[in-house]
Amino acid sequence: MSGLIAATFTPMHHDGTLNTGEIPSMVDHLVKDGIAGMYVLGSTGEGVSLTHDERCTIAEAFVNAADGRLPVIIQCGCESLAQARLLATHAQKIGADAISAVSPVYFKPDSVETLVESMSEIAAGAPDLPFYYYHIPSVTGVNLNMVEFLKLGRDRIPNLRGIKFTSLNVFEFQSCLEFAGDRFEILWGLDEMLLSGLAAGARAAVGSTYNFAAPVYHQLIKAFSEGNLKEARDQQSKSQELVRTFIPFGPRAAQKAIMSMVSSECGPTRLPVKMLCESQINDLRNNLTKIGFFDWIASTRSEG
């Protein structure tokens, strides 16, 4: 994997039911924007808020819409390891390219060994697919050593391919990369710190804002690869200003609203994530206009 991997949204009708009809246009938009892959049903996709059947429906819809144009990683983690394993089996059956899983968060693994054993249960449901552990300690509270996870996991999870690393700990990320060699892939997971990830050695990054602001990040990566650090920092600053603008509205609800402004109608979020009212959406649009967001993505698309 290399480049930008979009953590996709789950589109919904205003009554809260799934709106799979929007998924083909969402995928077309990502292909047009040069996205390198999709991470489906993660935090951005509200995967843990959906039923088992809904998750299967969304996974299949994205795989079908991708139609081989983009690799599709399905996030299968949930509180029940048995259910997560069934979701992994389903992902393999429908032709997904890889699976991933976040740790259970109510009964948390108490050691790296327990975490590896838990992820092994899930990964075994799709033995033919690469498996990526989803490390996001700020959400899960599971902040175990990821280098040790790789060391132990390489022998106990035959299809372990790497880690989706969503943590501020750049030191640990670089340590994982250095240990990984060619066997594992460590996917960077913080959009507003992509430049830090690149400096540490990242080749691929998974993020939510790549859905609607990919041109900014393409410019950032290009500038970094050419050694133009000032331009790379300028593009990262745009990303950070974008994040600062939508965070007060609630990160997930706000980003679904932005995606609806830029590309496909994503609809509301599902409780307990509170949806935005019409006045909030208008305020968000006005604030994005003030910082120049819509001009950024228009100008960088035209340059590309």
Side-chain angles (χ1 to χ4, degrees):
M1 301 290 291
S2 63
L4 303 176
I5 302 167
T8 58
F9 303 101
T10 295
M12 298 179 186
H13 295 291
H14 286 283
D15 63 359
T17 58
L18 301 182
N19 182 8
T20 56
E22 285 292 334
I23 290 177
S25 65
M26 290 174 65
V27 176
D28 289 345
H29 167 81
L30 297 177
V31 171
K32 183 178 179 181
D33 261 7
I35 291 296
M38 296 185 293
Y39 189 88
V40 177
L41 294 167
S43 304
T44 303
E46 302 171 84
V48 295
S49 294
L50 307 185
T51 68
H52 177 90
D53 289 347
E54 286 176 327
R55 290 176 73 161
C56 290
T57 296
I58 292 298
E60 191 163 0
F62 272 103
V63 169
N64 290 340
D67 195 25
R69 295 177 294 169
L70 293 175
V72 181
I73 305 171
I74 304 297
Q75 197 287 120
C76 303
C78 56
E79 292 303 286
S80 165
L81 295 178
Q83 178 171 293
R85 181 168 176 153
L86 290 174
L87 289 167
T89 298
H90 176 264
Q92 180 170 297
K93 180 180 178 181
I94 63 175
D97 297 280
I99 56 169
S100 180
V102 69
S103 168
V105 299
Y106 190 89
F107 296 118
K108 295 178 176 63
D110 59 356
S111 66
V112 172
E113 185 168 352
T114 305
L115 178 61
V116 168
E117 187 176 356
S118 300
M119 293 303 105
S120 177
E121 285 288 318
I122 300 172
D128 297 333
L129 295 184
F131 173 79
Y132 296 85
Y133 171 58
Y134 183 4
H135 179 56
I136 182 166
S138 64
V139 174
T140 63
V142 179
N143 197 13
L144 299 170
N145 187 296
M146 287 295 99
V147 175
E148 292 303 313
F149 174 84
L150 292 173
K151 288 179 179 178
L152 196 59
R154 63 184 171 185
D155 297 322
R156 300 193 187 182
I157 307 175
N159 53 335
L160 178 62
R161 184 63 184 126
I163 298 171
K164 178 184 181 293
F165 194 98
T166 306
S167 166
L168 295 170
N169 193 337
V170 182
F171 167 79
E172 185 180 28
F173 174 76
Q174 183 173 338
S175 297
C176 286
L177 282 176
E178 291 170 355
F179 174 80
D182 294 329
R183 176 165 180 176
F184 299 118
E185 294 179 320
I186 314 300
L187 311 177
W188 180 251
L190 290 169
D191 313 21
E192 63 273 33
M193 290 180 61
L194 177 58
L195 183 55
S196 298
L198 293 174
R203 295 183 62 249
V206 183
S208 54
T209 62
Y210 306 154
N211 285 284
F212 47 79
V216 172
Y217 296 99
H218 286 314
Q219 291 290 98
L220 189 162
I221 293 171
K222 180 175 182 291
F224 178 80
S225 67
E226 295 173 349
N228 188 345
L229 293 183
K230 181 184 183 305
E231 175 63 18
R233 287 194 297 267
D234 287 346
Q235 295 300 328
Q236 187 70 88
S237 292
K238 290 180 180 178
S239 158
Q240 292 169 355
E241 189 168 11
L242 168 63
V243 172
R244 284 193 296 268
T245 299
F246 69 68
I247 282 289
F249 293 87
R252 285 164 184 81
Q255 288 185 91
K256 288 188 91 168
I258 297 171
M259 188 65 173
S260 298
M261 297 173 195
V262 170
S263 173
S264 305
E265 178 57 51
C266 285
T269 47
R270 178 168 290 184
L271 287 172
V273 178
K274 188 177 179 181
M275 70 178 71
L276 301 186
C277 66
E278 194 62 35
S279 64
Q280 289 175 306
I281 293 173
N282 289 334
D283 288 343
L284 174 60
R285 187 193 302 273
N286 289 336
N287 291 350
L288 291 170
T289 301
K290 288 177 183 176
I291 67 170
F293 166 71
F294 298 106
D295 293 331
W296 299 341
I297 60 174
S299 62
T300 49
R301 281 197 180 101
S302 63
E303 290 171 13

